[in-house]
Amino acid sequence: MAAENAHYDPALTDREVVAQKIELLIDVMRARGHEPASFSEIQRELSKRGVQISRTKWFRIRKGSPDGRPTPDLLRALADYFDVDANYLLHRDGQVSARVEAELNLLQSLKLIGANDVTARTVGNLSPDALNEIAAAINQLRHASE
């Protein structure tokens, strides 16, 4: 289902897809009511996992910059930090748990219509199936109005 729902433009580079995935994971944290970690916290948590990162490198990875190419070890450490399967960040079509996937689908749909983080938090306690149905309804309405 993740490959079906993850609509990454084929023109995007793998770095740009990783950047989008990281931003979505940060959005999931925010939607769950957690403030996204500061760079210092990210750096400290990655260091605990044996990976070093500079502020510049973190910025470039989040922007999908050509000079921000993340290593597999860095992606594994980030996946561990965000509590998702490493394959989600390591592979363009990598999957996450049904719950995280549903939250990501909903957040992606909400972002497309310009909804804010409060909207995502209000529906955050629903089942993965319910979240996916809401995301599908939003996408259907959005396409109907285009």
Side-chain angles (χ1 to χ4, degrees), residues 42-59:
I42 294 283
Q43 187 179 46
R44 183 175 50 257
E45 291 298 319
L46 293 182
S47 182
K48 288 179 187 176
R49 293 160 173 85
V51 176
Q52 303 303 313
I53 189 168
S54 68
R55 185 177 302 276
T56 302
K57 177 91 170 176
W58 177 238
F59 176 80

Side-chain angles (χ1 to χ4, degrees), residues 7-92:
H7 299 291
Y8 296 106
D9 184 339
L12 293 176
T13 66
D14 288 344
R15 288 182 313 279
E16 291 167 325
V17 170
V18 165
Q20 285 185 359
K21 288 180 176 187
I22 289 171
E23 291 306 310
L24 283 171
L25 290 171
I26 290 169
D27 287 346
V28 167
M29 286 179 75
R30 201 176 279 125
R32 289 177 177 170
H34 303 269
E35 277 305 307
S38 65
F39 167 74
S40 297
E41 183 179 336
I42 294 283
Q43 187 179 46
R44 183 175 50 257
E45 291 298 319
L46 293 182
S47 182
K48 288 179 187 176
R49 293 160 173 85
V51 176
Q52 303 303 313
I53 189 168
S54 68
R55 185 177 302 276
T56 302
K57 177 91 170 176
W58 177 238
F59 176 80
R60 290 176 178 163
I61 289 169
R62 286 187 63 186
K63 296 301 173 202
S65 300
D67 52 353
R69 185 175 200 94
T71 65
D73 287 340
L74 174 66
L75 293 176
R76 284 185 197 93
L78 283 169
D80 186 51
Y81 171 74
F82 285 112
D83 196 27
V84 295
D85 188 296
N87 286 323
Y88 176 65
L89 292 176
L90 287 168
H91 303 290
R92 190 178 188 98

Side-chain angles (χ1 to χ4, degrees), residues 72-120:
D73 287 340
L74 174 66
L75 293 176
R76 284 185 197 93
L78 283 169
D80 186 51
Y81 171 74
F82 285 112
D83 196 27
V84 295
D85 188 296
N87 286 323
Y88 176 65
L89 292 176
L90 287 168
H91 303 290
R92 190 178 188 98
D93 61 348
Q95 297 183 9
V96 291
S97 72
R99 174 71 194 182
V100 173
E101 178 182 350
E103 289 178 24
L104 291 172
N105 288 337
L106 179 59
L107 286 168
Q108 214 166 23
S109 298
L110 290 170
K111 275 184 146 186
L112 289 172
I113 62 167
N116 60 26
D117 297 334
V118 174
T119 307

